[in-house]
Amino acid sequence: MRHHFTRLSSYSLAPVAVLALILGSSLPSRAQQVLDGMAAVVNSDIITYSQMRGLVSEKERMLQSQLKGDELTNKIKEVRLAAINDLIDRQLILQEFKTKGYQIPDYFVDQRVSTIIREEFGGDRQAFLRTLQAQEYTLDRFKQLEKDKIIVQEMRRSAIKGAININENQIEDYYKEHAEQYSTPEQIKLRMLVIRGSGDNAGPRRMIEEIREKIVGGAEFGDLAKMYSQGSEQESGGDWGWVDRKKMNEDLTKVAFNLKPGQVSKVIEISGSYYLLFVEAKKVATFKPLKELHDEIEKTLMQTERQRLQEAWIKKLRKPAFIKIY
């Protein structure tokens, strides 16, 4: 199992600080004096502003590099509220553990710490302790953080204990509902030549008819598209690459997908402009059979059901609780 704890040559304990915040615990006193304010109350417990900031600071820096103005302000509000609600849920879980009178043996926590020292610090206990000291953490404090983490993990797991049964009908229904996700649509490799119309002038129509005759007579479509096309893909010889039925408007799509490879369309007039289409190759639609996807879909549905059960459990914990967000 990966831990929120990373061995760094500078003995930075930022991941541990993040772990503390995630579990609803407090920062060292000096940091509290600078950062803390009341963000929420959960029954008799307080969630501090610094705890929330510890969860969102990295995400906020990313948002500040991407957004501005009201959009940035609104997104930051959304991220902060989500973080506070996450902390509220975690605190409710810890409170529920205490209310139920559950206990975690000390040796569970000692084993977890020993694993961290072995896996993240190469077994160097002194390096681990120096890292704690550099961040003003005591060993007892760190053990409490790990204990809280174990509590949250195990309480979430026990909330959905028991077999989750996904039947075959559910799997088949999901497969049908997400058919596009498991298929590749029919595609054509298309070139297009466009001549823009000019009012009642018959010249553009005659011009594209003459171009079509040359193509039927053996001239290369791409060469003529480079010379005459007024479309966006002129420089590439009208090459649109591989396209499916959603790529173009309905009139062009209907004609294009009825062409055989190597066939040029008749002149198509749309809104006063003229089009020639040329299909170089085709790919038929492909579908992954259900038997290949059965286990993957079952796993997805089980994860969705676990999430639903956990959300229902948290909702149940929230219902009688006193919760206030500032």
Side-chain angles (χ1 to χ4, degrees), residues 269-288:
E269 182 179 357
I270 300 176
S271 302
S273 293
Y274 303 94
Y275 299 81
L276 285 178
L277 306 178
F278 181 77
V279 172
E280 294 185 323
K282 276 192 172 184
K283 291 180 182 178
V284 298
T286 59
F287 299 88
K288 286 187 178 181

Side-chain angles (χ1 to χ4, degrees), residues 2-9 11-16 116 120-121 131:
R2 296 293 301 168
H3 299 276
H4 296 278
F5 195 105
T6 305
R7 186 183 188 188
L8 301 174
S9 59
Y11 300 118
S12 169
L13 200 57
V16 176
I116 291 172
E120 306 296 338
F121 287 82
T131 305

Side-chain angles (χ1 to χ4, degrees), residues 141-289:
R141 181 64 180 143
F142 180 73
K143 285 184 176 181
Q144 184 61 52
L145 297 180
E146 284 298 311
K147 183 176 181 180
D148 287 349
K149 182 180 179 182
I150 294 170
I151 289 170
V152 171
Q153 289 173 338
E154 293 305 315
M155 288 292 285
R156 285 188 178 276
R157 187 177 294 115
S158 65
I160 57 171
K161 65 183 177 182
I164 296 176
N165 295 315
I166 303 298
N167 61 49
E168 293 302 314
N169 288 336
Q170 289 175 287
I171 294 173
E172 290 176 11
D173 289 344
Y174 186 92
Y175 176 74
K176 292 174 183 177
E177 291 169 8
H178 298 81
E180 287 189 6
Q181 180 181 336
Y182 303 119
S183 66
T184 301
E186 179 186 11
Q187 293 180 309
I188 56 174
K189 194 169 189 303
L190 181 69
R191 288 186 185 269
M192 184 185 301
L193 190 154
V194 185
I195 301 296
R196 304 297 179 191
S198 55
D200 295 331
N201 191 337
R205 174 82 191 204
R206 286 197 301 269
M207 180 179 179
I208 201 166
E209 290 282 9
E210 292 174 2
I211 292 171
R212 185 179 186 278
E213 289 179 10
K214 291 180 180 179
I215 294 168
V216 172
E220 289 291 333
F221 190 100
D223 292 341
L224 294 178
K226 281 184 179 180
M227 293 173 62
Y228 298 110
S229 181
Q230 297 166 349
S232 59
E233 308 299 331
Q234 177 191 9
E235 291 185 3
S236 63
D239 188 3
W240 277 54
W242 289 98
V243 299
D244 59 34
R245 291 180 181 270
K246 297 179 180 180
K247 182 74 173 181
M248 303 177 293
N249 72 38
E250 186 176 350
D251 292 333
L252 293 176
T253 297
K254 188 181 297 184
V255 174
F257 278 84
N258 281 324
L259 294 173
K260 297 177 181 179
Q263 186 177 9
V264 63
S265 71
K266 293 182 178 180
V267 174
I268 307 161
E269 182 179 357
I270 300 176
S271 302
S273 293
Y274 303 94
Y275 299 81
L276 285 178
L277 306 178
F278 181 77
V279 172
E280 294 185 323
K282 276 192 172 184
K283 291 180 182 178
V284 298
T286 59
F287 299 88
K288 286 187 178 181

Side-chain angles (χ1 to χ4, degrees), residues 60-77:
E60 285 188 15
R61 282 194 290 271
M62 186 181 301
L63 290 173
Q64 288 165 356
S65 69
Q66 298 172 346
L67 305 175
K68 293 181 180 180
D70 290 343
E71 188 178 6
L72 173 61
T73 300
N74 293 334
K75 190 62 179 178
I76 286 179
K77 287 180 181 178

Side-chain angles (χ1 to χ4, degrees), residues 10 22 25 27 42 62 78 84 97 99 104 109 135 142 148 154 171 195 199 213 219 224 228 262 264 305 315 325:
S10 60
I22 289 174
S25 53
L27 289 171
V42 186
M62 186 181 301
E78 178 185 325
I84 290 172
F97 179 86
T99 299
I104 291 182
V109 181
Q135 295 294 322
F142 180 73
D148 287 349
E154 293 305 315
I171 294 173
I195 301 296
E213 289 179 10
L224 294 178
Y228 298 110
V264 63
E305 180 63 8
K315 186 176 181 180
I325 298 175

Side-chain angles (χ1 to χ4, degrees), residues 75-138:
K75 190 62 179 178
I76 286 179
K77 287 180 181 178
E78 178 185 325
V79 166
R80 289 181 178 181
L81 181 59
I84 290 172
N85 276 303
D86 185 54
L87 289 166
I88 288 170
D89 291 344
R90 291 172 183 274
Q91 200 61 35
L92 285 169
I93 293 171
L94 293 171
Q95 291 173 358
E96 178 71 359
F97 179 86
K98 185 176 181 180
T99 299
K100 294 289 187 182
Y102 297 147
Q103 297 290 329
I104 291 182
D106 289 341
Y107 72 84
F108 269 44
V109 181
D110 291 338
Q111 286 177 349
R112 175 74 69 91
V113 173
S114 295
T115 299
I116 291 172
I117 294 172
R118 182 178 67 255
E119 294 182 355
E120 306 296 338
F121 287 82
D124 189 340
R125 184 178 179 84
Q126 292 306 311
F128 166 72
L129 294 174
R130 287 195 298 271
T131 305
L132 292 181
Q133 185 177 13
Q135 295 294 322
E136 301 181 11
Y137 277 84
T138 64

